[in-house]
Coordinates of all heavy atoms in Angstrom, one line a residue:
V46 N 188.4 66.2 114.7 CA 187.4 67.2 114.4 C 187.9 68.6 114.2 O 187.5 69.3 113.3 CB 186.3 67.2 115.6 CG1 185.3 68.3 115.5 CG2 185.6 65.9 115.7
K47 N 188.9 69.0 115.1 CA 189.5 70.3 114.9 C 190.2 70.4 113.6 O 190.1 71.5 112.9 CB 190.5 70.5 116.1 CG 189.9 70.7 117.4 CD 191.0 70.9 118.5 CE 190.3 71.0 119.9 NZ 191.3 71.1 120.9
K48 N 190.9 69.4 113.2 CA 191.7 69.5 111.9 C 190.7 69.6 110.7 O 190.9 70.3 109.8 CB 192.5 68.2 111.7 CG 193.3 68.3 110.4 CD 194.2 67.1 110.3 CE 194.9 67.3 109.0 NZ 195.8 66.3 108.6
I49 N 189.6 68.8 110.8 CA 188.6 68.8 109.7 C 187.9 70.2 109.6 O 187.8 70.7 108.6 CB 187.6 67.7 110.0 CG1 188.2 66.4 109.7 CG2 186.3 67.9 109.1 CD1 187.4 65.2 110.2
K50 N 187.6 70.8 110.8 CA 187.0 72.1 110.8 C 188.0 73.1 110.3 O 187.6 74.1 109.5 CB 186.5 72.5 112.2 CG 185.3 71.8 112.6 CD 184.8 72.2 113.9 CE 183.5 71.5 114.3 NZ 182.9 71.8 115.6
K51 N 189.2 73.0 110.6 CA 190.3 73.9 110.2 C 190.4 73.9 108.7 O 190.6 74.9 108.0 CB 191.6 73.6 110.9 CG 192.7 74.5 110.5 CD 194.0 74.1 111.2 CE 195.1 75.1 110.8 NZ 196.4 74.7 111.5
E52 N 190.3 72.7 108.1 CA 190.4 72.6 106.7 C 189.0 72.8 105.9 O 188.9 72.6 104.7 CB 190.9 71.2 106.3 CG 192.3 71.0 106.8 CD 192.8 69.6 106.5 OE1 192.2 68.8 105.7 OE2 193.9 69.2 106.9
N53 N 188.0 73.2 106.7 CA 186.7 73.5 106.2 C 186.1 72.3 105.5 O 185.5 72.4 104.4 CB 186.8 74.8 105.2 CG 185.4 75.4 105.1 OD1 184.6 75.3 105.9 ND2 185.2 76.0 103.9
K54 N 186.2 71.2 106.1 CA 185.6 69.9 105.6 C 184.5 69.5 106.5 O 184.3 70.1 107.6 CB 186.7 68.8 105.6 CG 187.9 69.2 104.8 CD 187.7 69.1 103.3 CE 189.0 69.4 102.6 NZ 188.9 69.4 101.2
K55 N 183.8 68.5 106.1 CA 182.7 67.9 106.9 C 182.9 66.4 107.1 O 183.3 65.7 106.1 CB 181.4 68.2 106.3 CG 181.0 69.6 106.2 CD 179.7 69.8 105.6 CE 179.4 71.3 105.5 NZ 178.1 71.6 104.9
T56 N 182.7 65.9 108.2 CA 182.8 64.5 108.5 C 181.4 64.0 108.6 O 180.5 64.5 109.3 CB 183.5 64.2 109.8 OG1 184.8 64.8 109.8 CG2 183.6 62.7 110.1
I57 N 181.1 62.8 107.9 CA 179.8 62.2 108.0 C 180.1 60.8 108.5 O 180.8 60.0 107.9 CB 179.2 62.2 106.6 CG1 179.0 63.6 106.0 CG2 177.8 61.5 106.7 CD1 178.5 63.6 104.6
L58 N 179.4 60.4 109.5 CA 179.4 59.1 110.0 C 178.1 58.4 109.6 O 177.0 58.9 109.9 CB 179.5 59.1 111.6 CG 179.4 57.7 112.2 CD1 180.6 56.8 111.8 CD2 179.3 57.8 113.7
I59 N 178.3 57.3 108.8 CA 177.1 56.6 108.3 C 177.0 55.3 109.1 O 177.9 54.5 109.0 CB 177.2 56.4 106.8 CG1 177.3 57.7 106.1 CG2 176.0 55.5 106.3 CD1 177.6 57.6 104.6
I60 N 175.9 55.1 109.7 CA 175.7 53.9 110.5 C 174.8 53.0 109.7 O 173.6 53.3 109.4 CB 175.1 54.2 111.9 CG1 176.1 55.1 112.7 CG2 174.8 52.9 112.6 CD1 175.6 55.5 114.0
I61 N 175.3 51.8 109.3 CA 174.5 50.9 108.5 C 174.1 49.7 109.5 O 175.0 49.0 110.0 CB 175.4 50.3 107.3 CG1 175.8 51.5 106.5 CG2 174.6 49.3 106.5 CD1 176.8 51.2 105.4
P62 N 172.9 49.6 109.7 CA 172.4 48.6 110.7 C 172.5 47.2 110.2 O 172.4 46.9 109.0 CB 171.0 49.0 110.9 CG 170.6 49.6 109.6 CD 171.8 50.3 109.1
S63 N 172.6 46.3 111.2 CA 172.5 44.8 110.9 C 171.0 44.5 111.0 O 170.2 45.3 111.4 CB 173.3 44.0 111.9 OG 172.7 44.1 113.2
Q64 N 170.7 43.3 110.7 CA 169.3 42.8 110.8 C 168.9 42.9 112.2 O 167.7 43.2 112.5 CB 169.2 41.4 110.2 CG 169.4 41.4 108.7 CD 169.2 40.1 108.1 OE1 168.1 39.5 108.2 NE2 170.2 39.5 107.5
L65 N 169.8 42.5 113.1 CA 169.4 42.5 114.6 C 169.0 44.0 115.0 O 168.2 44.1 115.9 CB 170.5 42.0 115.4 CG 170.7 40.5 115.3 CD1 171.9 40.1 116.2 CD2 169.5 39.7 115.7
D66 N 169.7 45.0 114.4 CA 169.4 46.4 114.8 C 167.9 46.7 114.4 O 167.2 47.4 115.1 CB 170.3 47.3 114.1 CG 171.8 47.2 114.5 OD1 172.0 46.8 115.6 OD2 172.7 47.5 113.7
F67 N 167.5 46.2 113.2 CA 166.1 46.4 112.8 C 165.1 45.7 113.7 O 164.1 46.3 114.1 CB 165.9 45.9 111.4 CG 166.4 46.9 110.3 CD1 167.6 46.6 109.7 CD2 165.7 48.0 110.0 CE1 168.1 47.5 108.8 CE2 166.2 48.9 109.1 CZ 167.4 48.7 108.5
F68 N 165.4 44.5 114.1 CA 164.5 43.8 115.0 C 164.4 44.5 116.3 O 163.3 44.7 116.9 CB 165.0 42.3 115.3 CG 165.0 41.5 114.0 CD1 166.1 40.7 113.8 CD2 164.0 41.5 113.1 CE1 166.2 39.9 112.6 CE2 164.0 40.8 111.9 CZ 165.1 39.9 111.7
Y69 N 165.5 45.0 116.8 CA 165.5 45.8 118.1 C 164.7 47.0 117.9 O 163.9 47.4 118.8 CB 166.9 46.1 118.5 CG 167.1 46.8 119.8 CD1 167.3 46.1 121.0 CD2 167.0 48.2 119.9 CE1 167.4 46.7 122.2 CE2 167.1 48.8 121.2 CZ 167.3 48.1 122.3 OH 167.4 48.7 123.5
Y70 N 164.9 47.7 116.8 CA 164.2 49.0 116.5 C 162.7 48.8 116.4 O 161.9 49.5 117.0 CB 164.7 49.6 115.3 CG 164.2 51.0 114.9 CD1 164.5 52.1 115.7 CD2 163.3 51.1 113.9 CE1 164.0 53.3 115.4 CE2 162.8 52.4 113.6 CZ 163.1 53.5 114.3 OH 162.6 54.7 114.0
K71 N 162.3 47.7 115.8 CA 160.9 47.4 115.6 C 160.2 47.1 117.0 O 159.1 47.5 117.3 CB 160.6 46.3 114.7 CG 160.7 46.6 113.2 CD 160.4 45.5 112.3 CE 160.4 45.9 110.9 NZ 159.9 44.9 110.0
K72 N 161.0 46.4 117.8 CA 160.4 46.0 119.1 C 160.4 47.1 120.1 O 159.4 47.3 120.8 CB 161.3 44.9 119.7 CG 160.8 44.3 121.0 CD 161.6 43.1 121.5 CE 161.1 42.6 122.7 NZ 161.8 41.4 123.2
F73 N 161.4 48.0 120.2 CA 161.5 49.0 121.2 C 161.3 50.4 120.7 O 161.3 51.4 121.4 CB 162.9 48.9 121.9 CG 163.1 47.6 122.6 CD1 163.9 46.7 122.1 CD2 162.4 47.4 123.8 CE1 164.1 45.5 122.8 CE2 162.6 46.2 124.5 CZ 163.4 45.2 124.0
K74 N 161.1 50.6 119.4 CA 160.9 51.9 118.7 C 162.0 52.9 119.0 O 161.8 54.1 119.0 CB 159.6 52.5 119.3 CG 158.3 51.7 119.1 CD 158.1 51.4 117.6 CE 156.8 50.5 117.5 NZ 156.9 49.4 116.6
K75 N 163.2 52.3 119.1 CA 164.4 53.1 119.2 C 165.6 52.2 119.0 O 165.5 51.0 119.1 CB 164.6 53.8 120.6 CG 164.8 52.8 121.8 CD 165.0 53.6 123.1 CE 165.3 52.6 124.2 NZ 165.7 53.2 125.4
S76 N 166.7 52.8 118.6 CA 167.9 51.9 118.4 C 168.7 52.0 119.7 O 168.7 52.9 120.5 CB 168.7 52.4 117.3 OG 169.4 53.6 117.6
Y77 N 169.5 50.9 119.9 CA 170.3 50.9 121.2 C 171.5 51.8 121.1 O 172.2 52.0 122.0 CB 170.7 49.5 121.6 CG 171.4 48.7 120.5 CD1 172.8 48.8 120.4 CD2 170.8 47.9 119.6 CE1 173.5 48.1 119.4 CE2 171.4 47.2 118.7 CZ 172.8 47.3 118.6 OH 173.5 46.6 117.6
Y78 N 171.7 52.4 119.9 CA 172.9 53.3 119.8 C 172.4 54.8 119.6 O 173.2 55.6 119.2 CB 173.8 52.9 118.6 CG 173.1 52.6 117.3 CD1 172.7 53.7 116.5 CD2 172.9 51.3 116.9 CE1 172.1 53.4 115.3 CE2 172.3 51.0 115.7 CZ 171.9 52.1 114.9 OH 171.2 51.8 113.7
D79 N 171.2 55.1 120.0 CA 170.7 56.4 120.0 C 171.5 57.4 120.8 O 171.8 58.5 120.3 CB 169.2 56.5 120.4 CG 168.2 56.1 119.3 OD1 168.6 56.1 118.2 OD2 167.1 55.8 119.7
N80 N 171.9 57.0 122.0 CA 172.7 57.9 122.8 C 174.1 58.2 122.2 O 174.6 59.3 122.2 CB 173.0 57.3 124.2 CG 171.7 57.4 125.0 OD1 170.8 58.2 124.8 ND2 171.6 56.5 126.0
L81 N 174.7 57.2 121.5 CA 175.9 57.4 120.8 C 175.7 58.4 119.7 O 176.5 59.4 119.5 CB 176.4 56.1 120.2 CG 177.7 56.2 119.3 CD1 178.9 56.6 120.1 CD2 177.9 54.8 118.7
I82 N 174.7 58.3 118.9 CA 174.4 59.2 117.8 C 174.2 60.6 118.4 O 174.7 61.6 117.8 CB 173.2 58.8 117.0 CG1 173.5 57.5 116.3 CG2 172.7 59.8 116.1 CD1 172.3 56.8 115.6
K83 N 173.5 60.7 119.5 CA 173.3 62.1 120.1 C 174.6 62.7 120.4 O 174.8 63.9 120.2 CB 172.4 61.9 121.3 CG 171.8 63.2 121.8 CD 171.0 63.0 123.1 CE 169.8 62.2 122.7 NZ 168.8 62.1 123.9
K84 N 175.5 62.0 121.0 CA 176.8 62.5 121.4 C 177.7 62.9 120.2 O 178.3 63.9 120.2 CB 177.5 61.6 122.4 CG 176.9 61.5 123.7 CD 177.6 60.6 124.7 CE 176.9 60.5 126.0 NZ 177.6 59.6 126.9
I85 N 177.8 61.9 119.3 CA 178.6 62.1 118.1 C 178.1 63.3 117.2 O 178.9 64.0 116.7 CB 178.7 60.8 117.3 CG1 179.5 59.8 118.1 CG2 179.3 61.1 115.9 CD1 179.5 58.4 117.4
S86 N 176.8 63.4 117.2 CA 176.2 64.5 116.3 C 176.6 65.9 116.7 O 176.4 66.8 115.9 CB 174.7 64.4 116.3 OG 174.3 63.2 115.7
R87 N 177.1 66.1 117.9 CA 177.6 67.4 118.3 C 178.9 67.8 117.5 O 179.2 68.9 117.5 CB 177.9 67.4 119.8 CG 176.7 67.3 120.7 CD 177.0 67.4 122.1 NE 176.3 66.3 122.8 CZ 176.7 65.8 124.0 NH1 177.8 66.2 124.6 NH2 176.0 64.9 124.5
H88 N 179.6 66.7 117.0 CA 180.9 67.0 116.4 C 180.9 66.7 114.9 O 181.7 67.2 114.2 CB 181.9 66.1 117.1 CG 182.0 66.4 118.6 ND1 182.5 67.5 119.1 CD2 181.5 65.6 119.6 CE1 182.4 67.5 120.4 NE2 181.8 66.3 120.8
V89 N 180.1 65.7 114.5 CA 180.1 65.3 113.1 C 178.6 65.1 112.6 O 177.7 64.9 113.4 CB 180.9 64.0 112.8 CG1 182.3 64.2 113.2 CG2 180.3 62.8 113.5
I90 N 178.5 65.1 111.3 CA 177.1 64.7 110.7 C 177.0 63.2 110.9 O 177.8 62.5 110.5 CB 177.1 65.2 109.3 CG1 177.3 66.7 109.2 CG2 175.8 64.7 108.6 CD1 177.5 67.1 107.7
C91 N 175.8 62.8 111.4 CA 175.6 61.4 111.7 C 174.4 61.0 110.9 O 173.3 61.6 111.0 CB 175.4 61.2 113.1 SG 175.4 59.4 113.6
L92 N 174.5 60.0 110.0 CA 173.5 59.5 109.2 C 173.1 58.1 109.6 O 173.9 57.2 109.4 CB 173.9 59.5 107.7 CG 172.9 59.0 106.7 CD1 171.6 59.8 106.7 CD2 173.5 59.2 105.3
D93 N 172.0 57.9 110.3 CA 171.5 56.6 110.8 C 170.6 56.0 109.7 O 169.4 56.4 109.6 CB 170.8 56.8 112.1 CG 170.4 55.5 112.7 OD1 170.7 54.4 112.2 OD2 169.7 55.5 113.7
I94 N 171.1 55.1 109.0 CA 170.3 54.5 107.9 C 169.1 53.8 108.4 O 168.1 53.7 107.7 CB 171.2 53.5 107.1 CG1 172.4 54.2 106.5 CG2 170.5 52.8 106.0 CD1 172.1 55.4 105.5
L95 N 169.2 53.2 109.6 CA 168.1 52.5 110.2 C 166.8 53.3 110.1 O 165.7 52.7 109.8 CB 168.4 52.2 111.7 CG 167.3 51.6 112.6 CD1 167.1 50.1 112.1 CD2 167.7 51.6 114.0
K96 N 166.8 54.6 110.4 CA 165.6 55.4 110.4 C 165.2 55.9 109.1 O 164.1 56.5 108.9 CB 165.7 56.5 111.4 CG 165.9 55.9 112.8 CD 166.2 56.9 113.9 CE 166.4 56.2 115.2 NZ 167.1 57.1 116.1
L97 N 166.0 55.6 108.0 CA 165.7 56.2 106.7 C 165.2 55.1 105.7 O 164.8 55.5 104.6 CB 166.9 56.9 106.2 CG 167.4 58.1 107.0 CD1 168.7 58.7 106.5 CD2 166.3 59.2 107.1
I98 N 165.3 53.9 106.1 CA 164.9 52.8 105.2 C 163.3 52.8 105.2 O 162.7 52.8 106.3 CB 165.5 51.5 105.6 CG1 167.0 51.5 105.3 CG2 164.8 50.3 104.8 CD1 167.6 50.2 105.5
P99 N 162.7 52.8 104.0 CA 161.3 52.8 104.0 C 160.6 51.7 104.7 O 161.2 50.6 104.8 CB 161.0 52.7 102.5 CG 162.2 53.2 101.8 CD 163.3 52.9 102.7
K100 N 159.5 51.9 105.3 CA 158.8 50.9 106.2 C 158.4 49.7 105.4 O 158.3 48.6 106.0 CB 157.6 51.5 106.9 CG 157.9 52.8 107.7 CD 158.7 52.5 108.9 CE 158.8 53.7 109.8 NZ 160.1 53.8 110.4
N101 N 158.2 49.8 104.1 CA 157.7 48.7 103.4 C 158.8 47.7 102.9 O 158.5 46.7 102.3 CB 156.9 49.2 102.1 CG 157.8 50.0 101.2 OD1 158.8 50.6 101.6 ND2 157.4 50.0 99.9
I102 N 160.1 48.0 103.2 CA 161.2 47.2 102.8 C 161.3 46.0 103.8 O 161.3 46.2 105.0 CB 162.5 48.0 102.8 CG1 162.4 49.1 101.8 CG2 163.7 47.1 102.6 CD1 162.4 48.6 100.4
K103 N 161.4 44.8 103.3 CA 161.6 43.7 104.1 C 163.1 43.4 104.2 O 163.8 43.4 103.2 CB 160.9 42.5 103.5 CG 159.4 42.6 103.5 CD 158.7 41.5 102.9 CE 157.2 41.7 102.8 NZ 156.5 40.7 102.0
M104 N 163.6 43.1 105.5 CA 165.0 42.9 105.7 C 165.5 41.8 104.9 O 166.6 41.8 104.3 CB 165.3 42.6 107.2 CG 164.9 43.8 108.1 SD 165.8 45.3 107.6 CE 164.5 46.2 106.8
K105 N 164.8 40.7 104.7 CA 165.3 39.5 103.9 C 165.5 39.9 102.5 O 166.2 39.2 101.8 CB 164.3 38.4 104.0 CG 162.9 38.7 103.4 CD 162.0 37.5 103.5 CE 160.7 37.8 102.7 NZ 160.0 36.7 102.4
D106 N 164.9 41.0 102.0 CA 165.1 41.4 100.6 C 166.3 42.3 100.4 O 166.7 42.5 99.2 CB 163.9 42.2 100.1 CG 162.6 41.3 100.1 OD1 162.7 40.1 100.0 OD2 161.5 41.9 100.1
I107 N 167.0 42.8 101.4 CA 168.1 43.7 101.2 C 169.4 43.2 101.8 O 170.5 43.8 101.6 CB 167.8 45.1 101.7 CG1 167.6 45.1 103.2 CG2 166.6 45.7 100.9 CD1 167.5 46.6 103.8
Y108 N 169.4 42.0 102.5 CA 170.6 41.5 103.1 C 171.0 40.2 102.4 O 170.1 39.5 101.9 CB 170.4 41.2 104.6 CG 170.4 42.5 105.5 CD1 169.3 43.2 105.8 CD2 171.7 43.0 105.9 CE1 169.3 44.3 106.5 CE2 171.7 44.2 106.6 CZ 170.5 44.8 106.9 OH 170.6 46.0 107.6
T109 N 172.3 39.9 102.4 CA 172.8 38.7 101.8 C 172.6 37.5 102.6 O 172.5 36.4 102.1 CB 174.3 38.8 101.5 OG1 175.0 39.0 102.7 CG2 174.6 39.9 100.5
E110 N 172.5 37.6 103.9 CA 172.4 36.5 104.9 C 171.1 36.6 105.7 O 170.6 37.7 105.9 CB 173.6 36.5 105.8 CG 174.9 36.6 105.1 CD 176.0 37.0 106.0 OE1 175.8 37.4 107.2 OE2 177.2 37.0 105.6
K111 N 170.7 35.5 106.3 CA 169.6 35.5 107.2 C 170.2 35.6 108.6 O 171.3 35.2 108.9 CB 168.8 34.2 107.1 CG 168.1 34.0 105.8 CD 167.4 32.7 105.8 CE 166.7 32.6 104.4 NZ 166.1 31.3 104.3
G112 N 169.5 36.3 109.5 CA 169.9 36.3 110.9 C 170.8 37.5 111.3 O 170.4 38.6 111.2
Y113 N 172.1 37.2 111.6 CA 173.0 38.2 112.2 C 173.7 39.0 111.2 O 174.3 40.0 111.5 CB 174.0 37.5 113.1 CG 173.4 36.7 114.2 CD1 173.4 35.3 114.2 CD2 172.8 37.4 115.2 CE1 172.9 34.6 115.2 CE2 172.2 36.6 116.3 CZ 172.3 35.3 116.3 OH 171.7 34.6 117.3
G114 N 173.7 38.7 109.9 CA 174.5 39.3 108.9 C 174.1 40.8 108.7 O 173.0 41.2 108.9
A115 N 175.2 41.5 108.4 CA 175.0 43.0 108.1 C 175.4 43.3 106.7 O 175.4 44.5 106.4 CB 175.9 43.8 109.1
H116 N 175.6 42.3 105.9 CA 176.0 42.6 104.5 C 174.8 42.8 103.6 O 174.0 41.9 103.6 CB 177.0 41.5 104.0 CG 178.2 41.4 104.7 ND1 179.3 42.3 104.6 CD2 178.6 40.6 105.7 CE1 180.3 42.0 105.4 NE2 179.9 41.0 106.1
L117 N 174.8 43.9 102.9 CA 173.7 44.1 102.0 C 173.9 43.4 100.7 O 175.0 43.2 100.2 CB 173.5 45.6 101.8 CG 173.2 46.5 103.0 CD1 173.3 47.9 102.7 CD2 171.8 46.2 103.5
N118 N 172.8 43.0 100.1 CA 172.8 42.4 98.7 C 172.8 43.6 97.7 O 172.8 44.8 98.0 CB 171.7 41.4 98.5 CG 170.3 42.0 98.7 OD1 170.1 43.2 98.5 ND2 169.4 41.1 99.0
K119 N 172.6 43.2 96.4 CA 172.6 44.2 95.4 C 171.5 45.2 95.6 O 171.7 46.4 95.5 CB 172.5 43.5 94.0 CG 172.5 44.5 92.8 CD 172.5 43.7 91.5 CE 172.6 44.6 90.3 NZ 172.5 43.9 89.1
K120 N 170.3 44.7 95.9 CA 169.1 45.6 96.1 C 169.4 46.5 97.3 O 169.1 47.7 97.3 CB 167.9 44.8 96.3 CG 166.6 45.6 96.5 CD 165.4 44.7 96.7 CE 164.2 45.5 96.9 NZ 163.0 44.7 97.1
G121 N 170.0 45.9 98.4 CA 170.3 46.7 99.6 C 171.3 47.8 99.4 O 171.2 48.9 99.9
N122 N 172.3 47.5 98.6 CA 173.4 48.5 98.3 C 172.8 49.6 97.4 O 173.2 50.8 97.6 CB 174.6 47.8 97.6 CG 175.5 47.1 98.6 OD1 175.8 47.7 99.6 ND2 175.8 45.9 98.3
L123 N 171.9 49.3 96.5 CA 171.3 50.3 95.7 C 170.4 51.2 96.6 O 170.5 52.4 96.5 CB 170.5 49.7 94.6 CG 169.8 50.7 93.6 CD1 170.8 51.5 92.9 CD2 168.9 49.9 92.6
L124 N 169.7 50.6 97.5 CA 168.8 51.4 98.4 C 169.7 52.3 99.3 O 169.5 53.5 99.4 CB 168.0 50.4 99.3 CG 167.2 51.1 100.3 CD1 166.1 52.0 99.7 CD2 166.6 50.0 101.2
L125 N 170.8 51.7 99.8 CA 171.7 52.5 100.6 C 172.3 53.6 99.9 O 172.4 54.8 100.4 CB 172.8 51.6 101.2 CG 173.9 52.2 102.0 CD1 173.4 52.8 103.3 CD2 175.0 51.2 102.3
S126 N 172.8 53.4 98.7 CA 173.4 54.5 97.9 C 172.4 55.6 97.6 O 172.8 56.8 97.6 CB 174.1 53.9 96.6 OG 173.1 53.4 95.7
N127 N 171.2 55.2 97.3 CA 170.1 56.2 97.0 C 169.8 57.1 98.3 O 169.7 58.3 98.2 CB 168.8 55.6 96.5 CG 169.0 55.1 95.1 OD1 169.7 55.7 94.3 ND2 168.2 54.1 94.8
I128 N 169.8 56.4 99.4 CA 169.6 57.1 100.7 C 170.7 58.1 101.0 O 170.5 59.3 101.3 CB 169.4 56.2 101.9 CG1 168.1 55.4 101.8 CG2 169.5 56.9 103.2 CD1 167.9 54.2 102.7
I129 N 171.9 57.7 100.8 CA 173.1 58.5 101.0 C 173.1 59.7 100.0 O 173.3 60.8 100.4 CB 174.4 57.7 101.0 CG1 174.5 56.8 102.1 CG2 175.6 58.7 101.0 CD1 175.6 55.7 102.1
F130 N 172.9 59.4 98.8 CA 172.8 60.4 97.7 C 171.8 61.5 98.0 O 172.1 62.7 98.0 CB 172.6 59.8 96.4 CG 172.5 60.8 95.3 CD1 173.7 61.4 94.8 CD2 171.3 61.2 94.7 CE1 173.7 62.3 93.7 CE2 171.3 62.2 93.7 CZ 172.4 62.7 93.2
E131 N 170.6 61.1 98.4 CA 169.5 62.0 98.7 C 169.9 62.9 99.9 O 169.6 64.1 99.9 CB 168.2 61.3 98.9 CG 167.6 60.7 97.6 CD 167.4 61.8 96.5 OE1 166.9 62.9 96.8 OE2 167.7 61.5 95.3
F132 N 170.5 62.2 100.9 CA 170.9 63.0 102.1 C 171.9 64.0 101.8 O 171.8 65.2 102.2 CB 171.5 62.0 103.1 CG 172.0 62.7 104.4 CD1 171.2 63.1 105.4 CD2 173.4 63.0 104.5 CE1 171.7 63.7 106.5 CE2 173.9 63.6 105.6 CZ 173.0 64.0 106.6
L133 N 172.9 63.7 101.0 CA 173.9 64.6 100.6 C 173.3 65.8 99.7 O 173.7 66.9 99.9 CB 175.0 63.9 99.8 CG 175.9 62.9 100.5 CD1 176.8 62.2 99.6 CD2 176.6 63.5 101.7
K134 N 172.5 65.4 98.8 CA 171.8 66.4 98.0 C 171.0 67.4 98.8 O 171.0 68.6 98.7 CB 171.0 65.7 96.9 CG 170.5 66.7 95.8 CD 170.0 65.9 94.6 CE 168.5 65.4 94.9 NZ 167.9 64.8 93.7
K135 N 170.1 66.8 99.7 CA 169.2 67.6 100.5 C 170.0 68.6 101.4 O 169.6 69.7 101.6 CB 168.4 66.7 101.4 CG 167.4 67.4 102.3 CD 166.7 66.4 103.1 CE 165.8 67.1 104.2 NZ 165.2 66.2 105.1
N136 N 171.1 68.1 101.9 CA 171.9 68.9 102.8 C 173.0 69.7 102.1 O 173.9 70.3 102.8 CB 172.5 68.0 104.0 CG 171.4 67.5 104.8 OD1 170.9 68.2 105.7 ND2 171.0 66.3 104.6
E137 N 173.0 69.7 100.8 CA 174.0 70.4 100.0 C 175.4 70.1 100.4 O 176.3 71.0 100.6 CB 173.7 71.9 100.0 CG 172.3 72.2 99.4 CD 172.0 73.7 99.4 OE1 172.8 74.5 100.0 OE2 171.0 74.0 98.9
I138 N 175.7 68.8 100.6 CA 177.1 68.4 101.0 C 177.8 67.9 99.7 O 177.3 67.0 99.0 CB 177.0 67.3 102.1 CG1 176.3 67.8 103.3 CG2 178.4 66.8 102.4 CD1 176.0 66.8 104.3
K139 N 178.9 68.5 99.5 CA 179.7 68.1 98.3 C 181.1 67.5 98.7 O 181.6 67.7 99.7 CB 179.9 69.3 97.4 CG 178.6 69.9 96.9 CD 178.9 71.1 96.1 CE 177.5 71.7 95.7 NZ 177.6 72.9 95.0

């Protein structure tokens, strides 16, 4: 973190959730890694994709596997890249 700040750079941690993360989030209305994000956010920009995916998106439509898999399919990767691009644009990060 010190080196990055010294070089006037920004670090962005992007958390891409698995399907189980979504099920947990829907059930408990929070992610189990919220505390981690809170601590990390003091030092780096943290982008939690879980909270940015539109509510109307079905998990089965954006993942390559059913169940535990965390790999996005073509539609999921396009959605992810659009979310990241909009975040960078909105926050003027180059």
Side-chain angles (χ1 to χ4, degrees):
V46 172
K47 289 177 185 178
K48 182 178 180 181
I49 291 168
K50 285 183 179 181
K51 183 178 178 182
E52 293 181 10
N53 201 28
K54 305 284 182 185
K55 294 181 181 180
T56 300
I57 303 173
L58 174 65
I59 300 173
I60 299 175
I61 303 169
S63 72
Q64 292 182 62
L65 289 178
D66 296 332
F67 280 103
F68 297 137
Y69 184 94
Y70 185 70
K71 282 185 175 185
K72 184 175 181 177
F73 298 105
K74 305 298 183 225
K75 65 177 185 171
S76 71
Y77 57 86
Y78 49 79
D79 280 342
N80 288 335
L81 173 67
I82 291 173
K83 193 181 295 184
K84 288 180 182 180
I85 290 174
S86 294
R87 292 184 226 154
H88 306 286
V89 300
I90 298 166
C91 192
L92 179 57
D93 183 7
I94 300 300
L95 175 67
K96 296 175 183 161
L97 299 175
I98 290 183
K100 304 290 184 217
N101 64 334
I102 298 293
K103 295 178 183 169
M104 296 304 102
K105 67 178 182 162
D106 294 340
I107 63 171
Y108 284 95
T109 60
E110 308 161 354
K111 294 180 182 175
Y113 302 108
H116 297 284
L117 297 170
N118 61 22
K119 185 176 180 178
K120 182 178 178 179
N122 280 311
L123 181 60
L124 177 65
L125 176 64
S126 64
N127 286 333
I128 289 170
I129 293 170
F130 179 77
E131 289 302 319
F132 175 83
L133 296 173
K134 190 167 82 171
K135 178 182 174 188
N136 292 283
E137 299 179 356
I138 299 172
K139 299 176 184 179

